[in-house]
Structures are given as C-alpha cells and as structure tokens.
Amino acid sequence: MTYQLTDTAEQAPSKRIAGIVNTPRLRLFLGNAVADYGLLFAFFAGWQVASSAGWLNPAVFPPLDHVAAALWTGIVSGALLDDIAVSLQRAGITFLAAVGLGIPLGLFMGQIRAVERALDPILQLFRQTSALALYPVFILLLGLGEASKVFVIFWATLFPILLATIGGVKEVDAKLVEMARSFGASRTTIFRRVILPASVPPIFVGLRLSATTALLLLIAAEMIGANKGVGFQVMNAQYNFQIPLMFAAIFLLAFLGLAANRVLVLLQRRLCRWSLTEH
Amino acid sequence: MSVAQVSAKGEVTVRDLSKSFTLDGETLTVLKNLDLDIAGGESLAIVGASGSGKTTLLRVLAGLEEPDSGGVLIDGAPVHGLGKERAVIFQEPRLLPWLTVLGNVSFGLEVQGISRSEAEDKARHYIRLVGLGEFETAWPRQLSGGMAQRVGIARALTVQPEILLLDEPLGALDAMTKLTMQEELTRIWTEEKVTMALVTHDLEEAIFLADRVLILPREKGAHPRLIDIDLPRPRDRSETRFVRFRQQLMAEFGLH
C-alpha cells in the first residue's frame, strides 16, 4: 500500500489542503502524483531556481521559463511545427516500412528452420553493424537527400522487429502446438490460432525497441545532413546560440519518444489483455 | 474377463505394435510386438516403470506418433494419424493464455470447423459438467492448477470423442486436488460413456479409475500383464479388496 506511506510523508501539505479538499479520492490522487512525479518536479524546480539564481550558467542552462517561451514561440510561429512534421514523417514512414517488412518476414523465417538457420549469421552481423557507421555508405549510394536518411533509420529499426518476431515464433510453446494438432488443426490453423497470438507480446518488445531506435537515428541523421527536422533544429539552435530553442527542441524529442512508447503500450494492452497482470 | 460396460463404439485393438526411437545414433526400442484390446466404454489404466513405453503407447493411440510396424484399429477399422473420435488430455492443461475458459474449451471444435456459436454452446455444457460454470470468462492465468486441468478435460470432452486418452492428467496436481479430480473423472466417465485409456504412475489412481490395469513389462517383447479390477463403483480406497489390489500391483513392481 504505497499511497498510505506517501500520505504520511506528505501529511503537512495535505493537512493544509484538507480544508479545501477533503475527499479521500483526491488525497489518494495527490499522493500518487507525488509518488510518481515528485522527483521529476523537484528536478525541474531545481533547474529553474539554480539557473535564475545564477548557480548554473544561464547561457548553457537557461531558466525553464525561457525554454518554455522558446517552445511556445516556435509552435505558434509554426517553425517548430514544420520540424515536427518533417521528423515524424521521416521516422513514421520508416518505422511503418520496417514493421511492414519485419513482421511478415520474421513470421516466415521463424517457421522454417532451414531459412532461419541460413539467414541467422548474416542477420546477426548486420544487426551488430552500427547503422550510424553505415550512414556514410548510404550517403555515397543514395546521396545526401531524404533517401539516405530514411534508409539509415529503416536499417536500424528493421532488425529489432525482425529478430523479435523470429524469436517470438521460435519460442512458441511446442506443447501448445501439439495440443492444437491433437484436435486435428491444420498448419494454417495452428499458425493463425496458436503461433500468431503467442508471438504478439515478443513482437511488441521489438516494436518498442525499434521505435526508440527510430527516434535516435532520426536525430543523428538530421544532425548530420538536414535542413529541417527537430534534430536539425537542436544543432542549428546551438550554432546560432539560441540555447532556449535548443532545449525546447530537446524536450520536444523526449516528448515524441514518450508519446511513441505510450501509443505502443496502449496498443499492446488492447491486443494482449490476456497477458497483463492484474492491478 | 469382467469388462464392466461394453458399448458398441470406441473399441480399440492394437496388433503387433512396435515403436522405437533413434537417440544419438542408437536405436531404442520402446514397444515391441504389443497386442491389446480395449472394449468400447472400458476404462483402462496403463502403468509401468519409466521407460516401459506407457506414454509412447498412448501417443501412438492418439496418432501423435506413427508406429514402426503393426497398427491400431478403432471399431475394427485401421487408423492412421489423428482422428476426431479420439481426444487427448495432457499432463499439463496446455491452455491458450490468450483465450478465456470458454474460448479454450470451444477451441477443439472450432479447429475442426464447427462454427463459433455452436462450439461455444457445446463448450458451455462441458464447462458446467466440470464445475466451472462461473469461470467461463476467466483467463487461464487466473485459474488454479486443478481448475486449469478441468478446463483441459472439458476441452477434450467438448469434441465428444469415443476415446479419451489421458497422459498422467493428474500427475502435476497436489494430493487433495488429485483425489477430488479422480472422483470427477469417474463421474465424467460414467456420464459420458467413453472409452478411457489412462497413463498413470499412481497405482492407487489406476485401481480407483480403471476396469483393468495394463502393466507394461520392462523387457521388450514380453507379455504385458492385465489385472481386472472387479470392484463396484464408487470405489472405496480403504476397502479390503481395494487394499489387496494395491498390494498386488505393488508386488508386480517389487514394492511392498
């Protein structure tokens, strides 16, 4: 019962609010909020105070209200929105392409042992080859334009999805497959009703890993050779010494990452209600 | 021979059955020239030391393994591979975790091409029969071991097989649950009038459930022993004759 502990810890403030809000539900909510986000809030507050008071160099760590202002102007003027749109498009298209290729290919490879065996060493090699190290190669091949950027992200996102799917299919409990077989299930039925649903949770692990990688590679690619995008904006703002804007772009990236993960978690909850532990 | 019930369907005949496996280049004979007759509606327990081939025999009967030579006839007709007239209950419940109890129990019928609504109607009947009526919508992870095994039993019954093949179905349950489930199995067997072949390593369970106990010999090719358990049902574990059967079976294994 964690919230009770926090309740006692936060007795002083909750007593003060008690006159205004005395419903136990609200107190529970506040207690939870403090337990979950208290430290994060303290971090931001510390930053704000330290920067305003001059304990931190405000040229490097501008007060958060300046960062917030830069973010607001960027969004209202549409400049940052453009960057977000470009970045999301790059990462989104490649992520979807990696999903579209990785999952079917993985489902196929995981089922046929000979194929999986033959392809595994080369996949392992490709996976271990840093996509960023290959970026120059992709630039040589595809030029500095959109194609090389998209391809480097694609390269990096494909492997987590592909390997997670192959692993998921291979790890399906052979006893469940035999059970289905004992009722006379055909190969396609077994695939559709046993292998596919059993692979969903491991595939989601790959998807979440891939989404993180996609954003990481997106920033790197945009920093190296782009004139638009959130990653470009981080670099560009730093060149022009617009430090609040730089932080605004960094926070925006963090937010995109959190949002992508959140979407995937919600999707996973919808699809795998059965695998969830009860709360 | 005092086979309790003889119904027309679900008669199993095994003729000259041999099965061996290759392990690390060595051939391991598991069953050799085995003959066996199971009457329709009979309950047969198969016991034997580990390595005697009792599980292999059951798997061949189920059609999950192909015999090397000889064969299995059901109601007089030779069978190859799996068939709808047989259903297997495994030691582990083997439930699909992404399906509810209802989904799992109707799974067998659905896989056989029966429409979902029809399969679910039948499934509901058997879920009630195994006493899980209130748990239709539960997920497998919410069930205890005994409950999960009941779901596995209901799933096998739902396809309405003539022959129920049980591979140590209660082996993984705790002692108390096991006793309850043995009584449940007796009741189900009586109500459903199916032929039952049960592999077990629990001699008392064999005596409690079976019309006859088949003891598979350790030496391959030797004649298996068959013991008639001519006790009335419901059986009483503490009754003198029950205890005497237990002693007799223990003696077969050199135990006291």
Side-chain angles (χ1 to χ4, degrees):
Chain A
M1 290 249 126
T2 13
Y3 28 84
Q4 280 193 345
L5 276 176
T6 27
D7 255 358
T8 356
E10 296 300 316
Q11 230 160 28
S14 56
K15 255 184 197 161
R16 234 173 293 143
I17 327 169
I20 320 159
V21 280
N22 205 10
T23 53
R25 194 182 297 176
L26 195 65
R27 275 181 51 193
L28 187 73
F29 173 77
L30 287 175
N32 273 335
V34 169
D36 290 342
Y37 299 109
L39 209 56
L40 183 71
F41 182 74
F43 169 74
F44 283 135
W47 177 338
Q48 175 70 18
V49 170
S51 178
S52 313
W55 303 332
L56 279 172
N57 182 355
V60 181
F61 294 104
L64 283 173
D65 59 310
H66 293 203
V67 175
L71 187 64
W72 178 247
T73 342
I75 287 172
V76 170
S77 72
L80 270 179
L81 282 184
D82 268 1
D83 287 318
I84 296 172
V86 168
S87 290
L88 275 184
Q89 203 184 340
R90 279 181 188 137
I93 289 174
T94 34
F95 182 71
L96 288 180
V99 169
L101 182 69
I103 292 180
L105 192 63
L107 289 174
F108 171 72
M109 285 177 63
Q111 293 232 78
I112 298 166
R113 228 188 107 53
V115 177
E116 197 267 327
R117 212 175 135 184
L119 280 173
D120 187 60
I122 195 163
L123 281 184
Q124 295 296 345
L125 176 70
F126 282 177
R127 182 174 73 138
Q128 296 302 332
T129 312
S130 160
L132 269 185
L134 289 171
Y135 191 35
V137 180
F138 298 145
I139 292 177
L140 280 179
L141 282 173
L142 304 163
L144 248 178
E146 221 34 44
S148 59
K149 272 185 274 299
V150 165
F151 199 77
V152 74
I153 304 171
F154 176 73
W155 183 269
T157 47
L158 177 65
F159 291 107
I161 298 177
L162 185 60
L163 291 167
T165 310
I166 293 174
V169 172
K170 271 171 60 183
E171 297 298 303
V172 174
D173 191 349
K175 291 182 166 177
L176 292 182
V177 173
E178 191 184 65
M179 180 279 294
R181 201 160 72 84
S182 81
F183 284 106
S186 65
R187 268 191 78 110
T188 23
T189 308
I190 291 177
F191 176 76
R192 203 167 49 81
R193 301 231 32 199
V194 181
I195 293 173
L196 208 54
S199 310
V200 172
I203 288 176
F204 263 99
V205 174
L207 288 182
R208 287 168 67 179
L209 199 63
S210 257
T212 313
T213 317
L215 282 171
L216 196 74
L217 266 285
L218 170 81
I219 310 318
E222 285 182 344
M223 280 179 166
I224 295 172
N227 48 23
K228 255 194 181 331
V230 187
F232 160 78
Q233 203 50 257
V234 174
M235 217 59 191
N236 194 49
Q238 192 248 344
Y239 282 146
N240 297 327
F241 220 70
Q242 297 168 292
I243 304 306
L245 180 63
M246 182 186 83
F247 275 108
I250 290 176
F251 280 125
L252 210 51
L253 286 171
F255 176 76
L256 285 183
L258 287 173
N261 196 50
R262 187 81 196 137
V263 167
L264 285 171
V265 168
L266 287 176
L267 194 63
Q268 183 174 16
R269 281 215 188 133
R270 269 202 80 101
L271 286 174
C272 319
R273 249 175 346 126
W274 53 273
S275 70
L276 294 176
T277 45
E278 266 155 295
H279 293 285
Chain B
M1 204 172 278
S2 68
V3 171
Q5 304 156 275
V6 182
S7 71
K9 286 206 152 192
E11 183 192 64
V12 182
T13 316
V14 175
R15 283 294 169 267
D16 203 24
L17 185 81
S18 296
K19 176 76 187 168
S20 56
F21 293 99
T22 313
L23 250 182
D24 302 323
E26 269 181 64
T27 308
L28 188 74
T29 305
V30 184
L31 296 170
K32 199 176 168 196
N33 307 115
L34 181 80
D35 290 319
L36 174 68
D37 295 283
I38 311 174
E42 180 184 356
S43 163
L44 177 88
I46 304 166
V47 301
S50 55
S52 62
K54 50 189 193 296
T55 290
T56 305
L57 172 59
L58 197 85
R59 291 176 60 86
V60 171
L61 291 179
L64 290 167
E65 306 273 0
E66 282 295 315
D68 297 337
S69 64
V72 179
L73 298 94
I74 288 172
D75 298 326
V79 290
H80 301 282
L82 301 144
K84 287 182 186 176
E85 72 289 341
R86 285 159 286 160
V88 189
I89 295 169
F90 300 95
Q91 178 170 5
E92 324 78 19
R94 302 199 186 182
L95 305 184
L96 300 173
W98 50 89
L99 296 181
T100 59
V101 166
L102 181 63
N104 268 290
V105 175
S106 56
F107 179 80
L109 275 183
E110 281 180 42
V111 149
Q112 293 176 1
I114 308 294
S115 75
R116 172 159 299 180
S117 60
E118 195 183 327
E120 285 184 349
D121 280 345
K122 275 205 176 132
R124 281 198 186 91
H125 169 76
Y126 286 101
I127 292 171
R128 277 195 299 272
L129 184 78
V130 298
L132 289 179
E134 290 157 49
F135 294 91
E136 263 178 31
T137 55
W139 299 104
R141 65 180 154 80
Q142 300 169 311
L143 304 177
S144 69
M147 284 159 84
Q149 192 56 285
R150 280 166 203 255
V151 177
I153 292 168
R155 180 179 57 197
L157 291 172
T158 302
V159 300
Q160 292 179 307
E162 295 168 23
I163 300 153
L164 209 50
L165 302 160
L166 304 99
D167 187 8
E168 296 186 28
L170 312 180
L173 301 178
D174 64 87
M176 288 300 286
T177 315
K178 199 170 171 172
L179 294 183
T180 328
M181 292 293 286
Q182 285 171 2
E183 279 168 22
E184 291 275 292
L185 277 178
T186 309
R187 180 175 63 84
I188 288 165
W189 172 74
T190 321
E191 280 180 33
E192 295 295 311
K193 301 188 177 25
V194 284
T195 308
M196 204 160 85
L198 163 88
V199 164
T200 180
H201 52 232
D202 182 335
L203 299 178
E204 201 176 280
E205 181 171 295
I207 302 165
F208 190 78
L209 289 173
D211 293 322
R212 287 188 301 162
V213 178
L214 174 78
I215 304 164
L216 284 177
R218 213 193 282 264
E219 342 57 282
K220 305 300 167 187
H223 224 60
R225 298 254 296 129
L226 268 166
I227 295 175
D228 284 332
I229 311 291
D230 49 356
L231 297 175
R233 287 188 170 87
R235 289 174 178 171
D236 179 356
R237 290 183 182 82
S238 56
E239 196 221 335
T240 330
R241 292 186 60 212
F242 192 102
V243 175
R244 202 169 296 144
F245 272 121
R246 207 167 138 251
Q247 286 165 341
Q248 186 191 346
L249 272 174
M250 300 266 278
E252 292 277 347
F253 289 95
L255 303 163
H256 307 286

